[in-house]
mmCIF file of all heavy atoms in Angstrom:
data_model
loop_
_atom_site.group_PDB
_atom_site.id
_atom_site.type_symbol
_atom_site.label_atom_id
_atom_site.label_comp_id
_atom_site.label_asym_id
_atom_site.label_seq_id
_atom_site.Cartn_x
_atom_site.Cartn_y
_atom_site.Cartn_z
ATOM 1 N N PHE A 247 24.355 9.621 0.286
ATOM 2 C CA PHE A 247 24.579 9.379 1.705
ATOM 3 C C PHE A 247 24.259 8.024 2.039
ATOM 4 O O PHE A 247 23.618 7.219 1.213
ATOM 5 C CB PHE A 247 23.697 10.398 2.535
ATOM 6 C CG PHE A 247 22.073 10.195 2.211
ATOM 7 C CD1 PHE A 247 21.350 9.525 3.067
ATOM 8 C CD2 PHE A 247 21.628 10.745 1.046
ATOM 9 C CE1 PHE A 247 19.928 9.361 2.682
ATOM 10 C CE2 PHE A 247 20.271 10.758 0.705
ATOM 11 C CZ PHE A 247 19.430 9.978 1.533
ATOM 12 N N ASN A 248 24.741 7.496 3.196
ATOM 13 C CA ASN A 248 24.561 6.033 3.574
ATOM 14 C C ASN A 248 23.780 5.930 4.881
ATOM 15 O O ASN A 248 24.132 6.684 5.794
ATOM 16 C CB ASN A 248 25.995 5.409 3.740
ATOM 17 C CG ASN A 248 26.793 5.333 2.416
ATOM 18 O OD1 ASN A 248 26.164 5.094 1.360
ATOM 19 N ND2 ASN A 248 28.067 5.748 2.504
ATOM 20 N N VAL A 249 22.790 5.076 4.795
ATOM 21 C CA VAL A 249 21.875 4.950 5.978
ATOM 22 C C VAL A 249 22.106 3.612 6.703
ATOM 23 O O VAL A 249 22.139 2.607 6.069
ATOM 24 C CB VAL A 249 20.429 5.033 5.471
ATOM 25 C CG1 VAL A 249 19.417 4.767 6.639
ATOM 26 C CG2 VAL A 249 20.086 6.349 4.836
ATOM 27 N N GLN A 250 22.334 3.688 7.989
ATOM 28 C CA GLN A 250 22.466 2.518 8.821
ATOM 29 C C GLN A 250 21.155 1.798 9.030
ATOM 30 O O GLN A 250 20.082 2.423 8.876
ATOM 31 C CB GLN A 250 23.114 2.867 10.152
ATOM 32 C CG GLN A 250 24.552 3.475 10.101
ATOM 33 C CD GLN A 250 25.126 3.617 11.469
ATOM 34 O OE1 GLN A 250 26.165 3.017 11.793
ATOM 35 N NE2 GLN A 250 24.580 4.464 12.250
ATOM 36 N N SER A 251 21.231 0.640 9.603
ATOM 37 C CA SER A 251 20.040 -0.008 10.130
ATOM 38 C C SER A 251 19.356 0.738 11.191
ATOM 39 O O SER A 251 20.069 1.551 11.847
ATOM 40 C CB SER A 251 20.308 -1.419 10.586
ATOM 41 O OG SER A 251 20.875 -2.167 9.517
ATOM 42 N N GLY A 252 18.095 0.618 11.522
ATOM 43 C CA GLY A 252 17.396 1.251 12.575
ATOM 44 C C GLY A 252 18.053 1.000 13.880
ATOM 45 O O GLY A 252 18.290 -0.171 14.211
ATOM 46 N N ARG A 253 18.271 1.944 14.831
ATOM 47 C CA ARG A 253 18.897 1.774 16.047
ATOM 48 C C ARG A 253 17.946 1.009 16.995
ATOM 49 O O ARG A 253 16.738 1.002 16.820
ATOM 50 C CB ARG A 253 19.260 3.138 16.648
ATOM 51 C CG ARG A 253 18.278 4.115 16.866
ATOM 52 C CD ARG A 253 18.801 5.464 17.471
ATOM 53 N NE ARG A 253 17.768 6.362 17.745
ATOM 54 C CZ ARG A 253 17.749 7.553 17.076
ATOM 55 N NH1 ARG A 253 18.667 7.888 16.198
ATOM 56 N NH2 ARG A 253 16.783 8.549 17.439
ATOM 57 N N SER A 254 18.528 0.455 17.963
ATOM 58 C CA SER A 254 17.834 -0.438 18.891
ATOM 59 C C SER A 254 16.884 0.282 19.801
ATOM 60 O O SER A 254 16.887 1.540 19.829
ATOM 61 C CB SER A 254 18.855 -1.184 19.766
ATOM 62 O OG SER A 254 19.720 -1.965 19.000
ATOM 63 N N PRO A 255 15.978 -0.313 20.470
ATOM 64 C CA PRO A 255 15.039 0.395 21.353
ATOM 65 C C PRO A 255 15.784 1.135 22.473
ATOM 66 O O PRO A 255 16.851 0.604 22.917
ATOM 67 C CB PRO A 255 14.204 -0.756 21.922
ATOM 68 C CG PRO A 255 14.361 -1.837 21.041
ATOM 69 C CD PRO A 255 15.715 -1.773 20.383
ATOM 70 N N VAL A 256 15.257 2.174 22.928
ATOM 71 C CA VAL A 256 15.805 2.923 24.100
ATOM 72 C C VAL A 256 15.410 2.194 25.427
ATOM 73 O O VAL A 256 16.083 2.387 26.439
ATOM 74 C CB VAL A 256 15.403 4.404 24.159
ATOM 75 C CG1 VAL A 256 15.937 5.084 22.931
ATOM 76 C CG2 VAL A 256 13.769 4.450 24.158
ATOM 77 N N ALA A 257 14.433 1.347 25.353
ATOM 78 C CA ALA A 257 14.025 0.522 26.460
ATOM 79 C C ALA A 257 13.440 -0.736 25.978
ATOM 80 O O ALA A 257 12.640 -0.742 24.970
ATOM 81 C CB ALA A 257 13.076 1.433 27.376
ATOM 82 N N ARG A 258 13.709 -1.809 26.698
ATOM 83 C CA ARG A 258 13.156 -3.150 26.325
ATOM 84 C C ARG A 258 13.118 -4.090 27.565
ATOM 85 O O ARG A 258 14.130 -4.187 28.258
ATOM 86 C CB ARG A 258 13.926 -3.807 25.263
ATOM 87 C CG ARG A 258 13.325 -5.134 24.887
ATOM 88 C CD ARG A 258 14.223 -5.826 23.767
ATOM 89 N NE ARG A 258 13.576 -7.103 23.284
ATOM 90 C CZ ARG A 258 14.194 -7.894 22.444
ATOM 91 N NH1 ARG A 258 15.383 -7.671 22.032
ATOM 92 N NH2 ARG A 258 13.622 -9.118 22.134
ATOM 93 N N TRP A 259 11.949 -4.575 27.776
ATOM 94 C CA TRP A 259 11.741 -5.577 28.881
ATOM 95 C C TRP A 259 11.200 -6.863 28.202
ATOM 96 O O TRP A 259 10.016 -6.925 27.762
ATOM 97 C CB TRP A 259 10.777 -5.033 29.963
ATOM 98 C CG TRP A 259 11.203 -3.813 30.514
ATOM 99 C CD1 TRP A 259 11.954 -3.556 31.672
ATOM 100 C CD2 TRP A 259 10.868 -2.450 30.079
ATOM 101 N NE1 TRP A 259 12.190 -2.267 31.858
ATOM 102 C CE2 TRP A 259 11.520 -1.491 30.974
ATOM 103 C CE3 TRP A 259 10.116 -2.073 29.029
ATOM 104 C CZ2 TRP A 259 11.393 -0.194 30.733
ATOM 105 C CZ3 TRP A 259 10.013 -0.686 28.803
ATOM 106 C CH2 TRP A 259 10.742 0.292 29.691
ATOM 107 N N LYS A 260 12.046 -7.906 28.252
ATOM 108 C CA LYS A 260 11.576 -9.227 27.560
ATOM 109 C C LYS A 260 10.499 -9.854 28.409
ATOM 110 O O LYS A 260 9.678 -10.627 27.829
ATOM 111 C CB LYS A 260 12.710 -10.088 27.386
ATOM 112 C CG LYS A 260 13.783 -9.691 26.332
ATOM 113 C CD LYS A 260 14.824 -10.784 26.131
ATOM 114 C CE LYS A 260 15.838 -10.431 25.104
ATOM 115 N NZ LYS A 260 16.860 -11.357 24.976
ATOM 116 N N LEU A 261 10.477 -9.551 29.767
ATOM 117 C CA LEU A 261 9.604 -10.129 30.648
ATOM 118 C C LEU A 261 9.624 -11.637 30.665
ATOM 119 O O LEU A 261 8.667 -12.373 30.925
ATOM 120 C CB LEU A 261 8.055 -9.606 30.405
ATOM 121 C CG LEU A 261 7.846 -8.204 30.399
ATOM 122 C CD1 LEU A 261 6.387 -7.949 30.065
ATOM 123 C CD2 LEU A 261 8.270 -7.565 31.689
ATOM 124 N N ASP A 262 10.860 -12.139 30.455
ATOM 125 C CA ASP A 262 11.096 -13.565 30.554
ATOM 126 C C ASP A 262 11.929 -14.021 31.882
ATOM 127 O O ASP A 262 12.594 -14.928 31.960
ATOM 128 C CB ASP A 262 11.854 -14.056 29.274
ATOM 129 C CG ASP A 262 13.161 -13.404 29.123
ATOM 130 O OD1 ASP A 262 13.448 -12.463 29.951
ATOM 131 O OD2 ASP A 262 13.944 -13.795 28.247
ATOM 132 N N ASP A 263 11.697 -13.073 32.897
ATOM 133 C CA ASP A 263 12.449 -13.249 34.109
ATOM 134 C C ASP A 263 11.933 -14.544 34.823
ATOM 135 O O ASP A 263 10.849 -15.040 34.577
ATOM 136 C CB ASP A 263 12.233 -12.140 35.075
ATOM 137 C CG ASP A 263 12.513 -10.737 34.372
ATOM 138 O OD1 ASP A 263 11.716 -10.207 33.636
ATOM 139 O OD2 ASP A 263 13.651 -10.269 34.481
ATOM 140 N N PRO A 264 12.868 -15.115 35.717
ATOM 141 C CA PRO A 264 12.460 -16.335 36.389
ATOM 142 C C PRO A 264 11.223 -16.230 37.187
ATOM 143 O O PRO A 264 10.876 -15.241 37.710
ATOM 144 C CB PRO A 264 13.717 -16.747 37.231
ATOM 145 C CG PRO A 264 14.806 -15.910 36.631
ATOM 146 C CD PRO A 264 14.230 -14.616 35.947
ATOM 147 N N ALA A 265 10.548 -17.370 37.343
ATOM 148 C CA ALA A 265 9.366 -17.388 38.212
ATOM 149 C C ALA A 265 9.706 -16.939 39.584
ATOM 150 O O ALA A 265 10.796 -17.357 40.101
ATOM 151 C CB ALA A 265 8.795 -18.724 38.179
#
Side-chain angles (χ1 to χ4, degrees):
F247 58 102
N248 296 318
V249 177
Q250 293 187 120
S251 299
R253 60 180 179 243
S254 300
V256 293
R258 182 183 182 188
W259 302 270
K260 291 185 176 180
L261 301 182
D262 58 357
D263 305 85

